[in-house]
Amino acid sequence: MAFIQTEYKSNALLRGTSVKVILPTDGMAGGVEPPFRTVYFLPGYSTTATELITYLSMRNQAELKGLAIVLPDGENLFYQDLPERMTLYSTYVGEELVEVTRKLFPLSDKREDTYIAGISMGGYGALYNGMKYRDTFSKVAAFSPAVDPGLLLRDGAPGFSDEQFQGLFGNRERFYGSSRDMTTVWTDRTIENRPELFLCCGREDRAVWNAVEPFEKALREAGIPHECREGHGDHELYYWEQMMDPAFSFLAGIEEGTKDKLVIPG
């Protein structure tokens, strides 16, 4: 496994940005050769890529499943294009970051080898940009996604205010039913080239369960194929760690539990 941190000047963000990259170079996944299949993994609200790599088994999953993982930072903007702030985070994630990392690292340029995932706010970003850029991403994995930011306001999520919501999405009337409303987008049966979807959330999740449960129900009622895991857990690292193997097995296209233990040759 190789861990790389790179910085470059982003045109979409109009500033320098840092990106963490994990490459499965040690051969423990059965001699995976480049170009590597790749997961673009989006951190959540107030979380950095460094925190995810530190607290979750990202490096293990890269090596076990034979996947490269690219982790940008999200800066609490729900991975949206905000031209009035001269910050295009959706364009950054869905276009520029993919192009730049493919030039710098031995990553596959095929849609079937390119995936997007994220936790909480990053889960929303993965759902939003996975569908928006569905010609690029063939699979989406959303961990406890903040699928309805409006409910974060209603339930008083720490650090998220009405001013922030309006700055990102406008008023609620404009949000619901728009291209930023994930229930509207993902239940649209007319959409072609739809990414495969893995969704997970703990039933005790006080931040987003009240949004994820109706979202998943809407997917079922619309007949949208997806894989869903619930189980017990709050909006917490412990639950997300339990979902690492199921989610990355889904992305890698292997049976869950078949590559869930890293064995170092001795």
Side-chain angles (χ1 to χ4, degrees):
M1 182 276 302
F3 172 68
I4 303 161
Q5 176 171 313
T6 186
E7 297 186 2
Y8 78 95
K9 187 73 74 175
S10 167
N11 291 326
L13 303 181
L14 293 180
R15 60 170 177 76
T17 186
S18 176
V19 181
K20 312 292 191 299
V21 180
I22 305 170
L23 301 178
T25 56
D26 291 345
M28 295 178 189
V32 176
E33 296 292 334
F36 298 120
R37 294 180 293 166
T38 310
V39 184
Y40 291 84
F41 204 104
L42 309 181
Y45 198 85
S46 77
T47 305
T48 65
T50 298
E51 289 177 277
L52 292 187
I53 293 170
T54 300
Y55 292 114
L56 296 174
S57 57
M58 292 283 180
R59 299 186 187 197
N60 285 6
Q61 292 304 318
E63 200 61 57
L64 287 165
K65 304 326 193 263
L67 300 172
I69 306 176
V70 177
L71 298 104
D73 288 330
E75 296 194 7
N76 299 349
L77 297 179
F78 280 77
Y79 301 95
Q80 299 292 300
D81 277 350
L82 301 169
E84 67 279 7
R85 302 190 193 184
M86 296 185 294
T87 298
L88 305 179
Y89 252 101
S90 177
T91 301
Y92 168 63
V93 168
E95 298 181 24
E96 182 185 276
L97 185 62
V98 175
E99 294 171 1
V100 168
T101 53
R102 283 175 175 175
K103 289 178 182 179
L104 294 176
F105 306 105
L107 308 180
S108 173
D109 61 2
K110 297 178 180 179
R111 177 181 184 269
E112 61 264 31
D113 295 338
T114 309
Y115 324 122
I116 189 167
I119 291 175
S120 191
M121 180 192 74
Y124 173 90
L127 289 168
Y128 176 76
N129 289 292
M131 187 63 86
K132 179 180 177 181
Y133 294 104
R134 55 189 177 275
D135 289 339
T136 297
F137 302 110
S138 62
K139 295 182 181 181
V140 174
F143 294 71
S144 307
V147 68
D148 185 344
L151 287 184
L152 295 176
L153 293 178
R154 189 195 72 180
D155 297 338
F160 192 61
S161 67
D162 189 62
E163 290 76 17
Q164 287 171 294
F165 180 89
Q166 292 187 32
L168 293 170
F169 304 110
N171 59 42
R172 297 193 190 201
E173 289 73 21
R174 289 175 54 195
F175 174 79
Y176 292 110
S178 74
S179 62
R180 295 176 175 182
D181 177 357
M182 292 301 93
T183 300
T184 296
V185 171
W186 276 87
T187 57
D188 184 350
R189 295 176 57 86
T190 67
I191 292 177
E192 299 180 352
N193 206 29
R194 175 187 299 274
E196 297 178 47
L197 174 61
F198 177 94
L199 177 68
C200 66
C201 187
R203 296 189 190 96
E204 292 77 32
D205 192 318
R206 293 166 288 182
V208 300
W209 172 250
N210 61 350
V212 173
E213 184 182 28
F215 174 67
E216 196 277 328
K217 180 181 179 182
L219 292 174
R220 283 188 281 110
E221 291 178 346
I224 305 300
H226 64 287
E227 184 170 339
C228 180
R229 297 300 178 85
E230 296 177 1
H232 294 289
D234 203 341
H235 209 69
E236 59 189 1
L237 290 162
Y238 176 78
Y239 176 76
W240 299 325
E241 180 60 31
Q242 308 314 303
M243 291 296 105
M244 285 286 107
D245 177 62
F248 278 90
S249 293
F250 166 83
L251 294 171
I254 63 174
E255 185 178 349
E256 178 185 343
T258 56
K259 293 184 179 180
D260 63 349
K261 183 183 292 185
L262 192 64
V263 178
I264 306 296

